[in-house]
Amino acid sequence: MAAPLALVLVVAVTVRAALFRSSLAEFISERVEVVSPLSSWKREWLKAFHCWTWEYLHILEQYFMKVSFCHPGWSAMAQSRLTATSTSQVQATPLPQPPEQLGPQTPLIIYLFHFLIDYAELVFMITDALTAIALYFAIQDFNKVVFKKQKLLLELDQYAPDVAELIRTPMEMRYIPLKVALFYLLNPYTILSCVAKSTCAINNTLIAFFILTTIKGSAFLSAIFLALATYQSLYPLTLFVPGLLYLLQRQYIPVKMKSKAFWIFSWEYAMMYVGSLVVIVCLSFFLLSSWDFIPAVYGFILSVPDLTPNIGLFWYFFAEMFEHFSLFFVCVFQINVFFYTIPLAIKLKEHPIFFMFIQIAIIAIFKSYPTVGDVALYMAFFPVWNHLYRFLRNIFVLTCIIIVCSLLFPVLWHLWIYAGSANSNFFYAITLTFNVGQILLISDYFYAFLRREYYLTHGLYLTAKDGTEAMLVLK
Amino acid sequence: MGLLSDPVRRRALARLVLRLNAPLCVLSYVAGIAWFLALVFPPLTQRTYMSENAMGSTMVEEQFAGGDRARAFARDFAAHRKKSGALPVAWLERTMRSVGLEVYTQSFSRKLPFPDETHERYIYWAKDIIFLVTEHDLLGTEAWLEAYHDVNVTGMQSSPLQGRAGAIQAAVALELSSDVVTSLDVAVEGLNGQLPNLDLLNLFQTFCQKGGLLCTLQGKLQPQDWTSLDGPLQGLQTLLLMVLRQASGRPHGSHGLFLRYRVEALTLRGINSFRQYKYDLVAVGKALEGMFRKLNHLLERLHQSFFLYLLPALSRFVSIGLYMPAAGFLLLVLGLKALELWMQLHEAEVGLEEPGGAPGPSVPLPPSQGVGLASLVAPLLISQAMGLALYVLPVLGQHVATQHFPVAEAEAVVLTLLAIYAAGLALPHNTHRVVSTQAPDRGWMALKLVALIYLALQLGCIALTNFSLGFLLATTMVPAAALAKPHGPRTLYAALLVLTSPAATLLGSLFLWRELQEAPLSLAEGWQLFLAALAQGVLEHHTYGALLFPLLSLGLYPCWLLFWNVLFWK
């Protein structure tokens, strides 16, 4: 099995290397779909860190101010505002303030690239490869666990008698890890974000390693990687719950409020997680001798000051809003990421990896500066749920919607920014459609998963009370 | 959402789509064409009106009195030009300085991908506060624009500009070949089908009416009577001419290059025909003066009026919201066909979509799902590679071709283009392998499904940026694409597919264009024009960045090859 994986890796690296050398690289690295202010990687930013002293920070401050004003999106926003105010549909609101302190990159990343600045292309290719390898081994292990569990339940006669066709076979499960690696490495979204050197690739690697270590059952490493991922982009915080659930399941500890073992393990895991987070944050403090990076990075993520258009839901909404409502709506928008964790944890208590998949998707949809790289991470999991295929209802329509939107992003951007014949509403309409498509796709998977579980225990051919065939309806 | 998750209604909808697919497709196609034809009738076509306040409410009184001087300059210019055989730069510099203008000259050079013999020489006056006189067709305009905006998008080498004004708000390119005109023809279509803001055209039209000038659009006078059938029919001719011109993506006049820099621009051509009544330069000067003085009132860029429109006459327009459904209906055909194929494939695969829908043992999920996708990779890659060859080889291989065959470079490019195009028809359709024995139809159905989605995506994106091109290609390619299958009257399908291939569409468009201009082509002329158009297409891609050639060679041609592949699936 190692040979096909190696082949996929070689193909993926070749494609990336070719694109890095082509004239497209520069074009891609300026696409708003691929890089966000949070993930864009500017060589100049890092050059400025060559001398790591306190004085440098002031120069940097000014530099960031300049960078954010020169950002292509800013002129676009200013343009759209001009149009908006001149047609007097919208009250004039002040332009969003540029980030005032340190750039929105975490200190460790900047420190890392301080050494690797000349090998950036290599680094981004390696992180992609590492993500794929981590996912490959994680899913390989996960499939073994799933198969074992299924065997156990079959022996215990837990399944309904007529569900033979729903039972998964080793034959069909054999190529799933390879497909996962393939889906991640050759997904155009991943390739684009690698070529754009979006630091999203690094966040994905951390999350992939968190998944790998969780599935391997190492609570300590899992906590460290989760802390690193949280440190990088804050939102992976929500993955704590599925991670914990999986580790509990692995150690056969029942998730019960009264169980002592449950509380002890949860406490341990939480402490490991918080401990590593504190260590990492303190490390950053010692690097910088200042706490400025906390408001600069996490304040930047949470309060959404940069309204450069992206594929998310935030920018347009906050560009059009009266200033004094924005705090309330920032809270409402941000709560979306965290809000679904608890109901999902209750519903998917027994299936933490599926829960993790849904949660990663939710982060990719509702985070404040999403890029296509985030989307690519949860898309890599689609082959794992191949067995849900027959229960998916709208996969064709939704796939088409997502492909169409991906193509329309650059077209409408061109019409808006370059041709001047469309405006921001056109672009936002596509981001809305794209996100609705993603939400429907995820809920389709969710529903399919629940249906399969239901059929497994209740039998595939249900009859209603009056003897006719029954149907499951989602209400 | 109810429709998406309620199984009963879903099944009803699915049945409807499957059973009524053919009539729905035909209906949708006919509706698309009919909608387009209906665009010329009054409720859909509206009168143009001035949206920009700064230009609408204020009055301007033209005082242009330099008619005689202009005539004298024109005669002098013609004499000097005849004497020197080239643009009399020194004389121009001297004269323009004598009337009190700042004068600068700029030299430029540009290496063409292959030599081109058809450059015509005009004098263009692109004027804002700036008078621009250029040489060598549009190349001079492009060189100046790039230098002015300090960018280099086409690999032009030119000397830097010494004089600059601010951001240019609007430009009017003037092409006058004599000092008297019978009418003024206005051209709006720019590079890649971009159009100027409709207000600029409205402005021109206002002053034409005021000065009593005879104005034409696409060389056609505007019909007076829109209530009877004659007016709309004449409007349809003008509309079709505009669609063909916009679809070509060529800059029709040097204004076409300004649009890329977000400078609203149009070209005015002085026509001197055998008409009785002639206008002198005073009338033209007055109209121009009026336009510039109104533009002078502008406070910001022209943005109030439409950027996306079609013109059935100078004073009538159709806005994007009204013409888009025509393309939408045509694309719906592809969507319906794709949906039908998907349902057939899905049924064959899963056996029963709903557990309990059709009772009985279903076919166990075959592993052919993966194989089915894998078998598509070869045809997709091969047809895409053909497209890449079509894009790259003609220009790369011209030197080899001229060494071995007695042809000039331009001819070599065109002939290589045609050769690769034709070779594509023979190549890919014997590459696929047998997919599965139990469901032999699945292979071609999957390929056709992919091809349909691919085509719909491309046409949709094209129609958004350049409606005319998207609509034209959809009209021709959609029926053949929907019909293509390896059963039934294959020869008929093959003929239809060949007739609607991108190259055939281009040839057909040329004939239609000349027919509408009332100058019909003979077959031989048509062929010559076709070859010239191919060469121009390639050249304009390399010189100005026109997108038609890469779109056809990298996007639509490979897609069309996929349908060809479906047709000859064994």
Side-chain angles (χ1 to χ4, degrees), chain B residues 145 149 167-171 196 255 258-265 301:
Chain B
L145 277 168
H149 294 95
I168 307 174
Q169 281 190 319
H255 77 282
F258 281 85
L259 295 171
R260 180 158 50 174
Y261 297 89
R262 291 187 78 168
V263 178
E264 308 309 324
R301 276 175 206 283

Side-chain angles (χ1 to χ4, degrees), chain A residues 79 82-83 86-87 165 386 389-397 400 403-404 407-408 411-412 414-421 440 443 451 455 460-461 469-474, chain B residues 1 4-8 10-11 194 259-260 262 300-301 303-304 307-308 320 338-339 342 346 349-350 352-357 359-362 365 369 449 453 457 461 464-465:
Chain A
Q79 184 95 35
L82 253 179
T83 323
S86 63
T87 47
E165 58 191 272
N386 260 352
Y389 178 69
R390 56 182 291 163
F391 298 112
L392 291 175
R393 289 164 176 279
N394 305 310
I395 183 76
F396 176 65
V397 177
C400 285
I403 295 174
V404 168
L407 280 181
L408 285 185
V411 170
L412 289 172
H414 172 86
L415 284 181
W416 172 21
I417 301 296
Y418 297 101
S421 43
L440 288 180
S443 38
R451 254 176 60 177
Y455 284 132
L460 197 49
Y461 302 107
E469 290 140 13
M471 249 176 283
L472 290 185
V473 179
L474 180 70
Chain B
M1 198 60 208
L4 288 175
S5 61
D6 181 357
V8 182
R10 271 176 69 88
R11 214 176 297 159
Q194 218 179 325
L259 295 171
R260 180 158 50 174
R262 291 187 78 168
E300 42 187 336
R301 276 175 206 283
H303 66 270
Q304 299 269 15
F307 281 97
L308 303 162
I320 177 167
L339 208 59
W342 169 259
H346 201 66
E349 209 164 81
V350 184
L352 65 172
E353 197 201 344
E354 293 293 316
S362 71
L365 197 78
Q369 186 196 339
L449 179 65
I453 295 173
L457 281 176
C461 287
L464 267 179
T465 44

